[in-house]
Amino acid sequence: MRRIEHRGLPVTSIPETMLDLAGQDELTLVRKALANLDYAHTLHAPAIRGICGRGRPGSAALRWAIDNYEPLFARTQSPFEDDYIWYCERYDVPKPDRLSERVLGIPSDAIYDDAMVIVELDGVDNHYSPAQIRRDHRNDKRLRDAGWLVLRYMTDQFADDPLGIRAEILRALHTRGSG
């Protein structure tokens, strides 16, 4: 591995860093990094693929991440949103059109524009106090009044009933026009 310096500090190149991450089984981080590099117009997939090779730990994982590139990872703002992309891939659920954007000024997690469906991913940090729950209910009502369907799930629901959630999301998307 060739070391280079940046502002007097030893650093590795982007391809070498990506290979190191892939070798540590940090696939979500690798996929997020690829998406962020692309978003910043600095993704050079051939150079990253070129660092892979026989006997280099992480090569197969890095090639897989490049082949399964997903730009939505650049938009996630929580591990739960990262997990939702993985969930969509694993259970053949359409990926949302947008992630972590506002709809009617309301922060929304996974947005399906054509069907006007929002999947809210409620982690424990921001959806447990009475005030936070009241805020969520007020926001849901405002979105429903504008024609949006809000499907709200907690982390444990995805673990306990992934196929049931899949069926509900697919039914909503199909019924409302984008599935």
Side-chain angles (χ1 to χ4, degrees):
M1 171 167 39
R2 184 175 70 81
R3 293 245 178 217
I4 54 178
E5 286 195 13
H6 178 72
R7 296 184 182 174
L9 298 173
V11 296
T12 59
S13 68
I14 289 172
E16 290 166 336
T17 300
M18 298 297 289
L19 184 62
D20 289 343
L21 289 172
Q24 298 297 315
D25 282 334
E26 295 287 348
L27 260 178
T28 297
L29 190 54
V30 169
R31 293 183 83 191
K32 284 181 74 71
L34 289 171
N36 281 304
L37 287 167
D38 185 35
Y39 187 75
H41 305 290
T42 57
L43 176 63
H44 191 282
I48 295 171
R49 189 181 292 279
I51 196 113
C52 299
R54 176 171 248 154
R56 299 204 67 186
S59 291
L62 184 53
R63 280 192 297 266
W64 182 91
I66 293 168
D67 291 343
N68 292 278
Y69 168 75
E70 177 50 65
L72 282 173
F73 276 111
R75 304 293 303 168
T76 62
Q77 294 184 6
S78 73
F80 197 1
E81 290 174 3
D82 294 335
D83 291 345
Y84 185 69
I85 295 172
W86 284 100
Y87 168 84
C88 289
E89 292 174 345
R90 180 174 183 190
Y91 290 99
D92 198 26
V93 171
K95 292 176 189 164
D97 300 309
R98 299 182 286 145
L99 278 168
S100 297
E101 290 189 13
R102 292 183 177 268
V103 174
L104 302 176
I106 298 167
S108 302
D109 293 328
I111 305 156
Y112 296 87
D113 289 308
D114 291 343
M116 292 185 72
V117 171
I118 296 172
V119 175
E120 282 298 319
L121 306 166
D122 293 350
V124 294
D125 292 342
N126 204 23
H127 302 276
Y128 71 93
S129 75
Q132 291 164 334
I133 292 169
R134 279 193 304 276
R135 177 205 60 208
D136 289 342
H137 286 274
R138 275 193 308 273
N139 288 342
D140 290 355
K141 170 79 168 68
R142 187 165 164 226
L143 289 163
R144 283 194 313 271
D145 288 348
W148 288 87
L149 172 64
V150 179
L151 303 174
R152 189 172 288 282
Y153 303 106
M154 299 289 291
T155 310
D156 61 336
Q157 290 178 279
F158 280 93
D160 294 343
D161 190 18
L163 295 177
I165 290 173
R166 176 187 187 272
E168 187 171 36
I169 293 171
L170 292 179
R171 186 170 43 254
L173 294 176
H174 178 74
T175 303
R176 296 178 62 89
S178 81

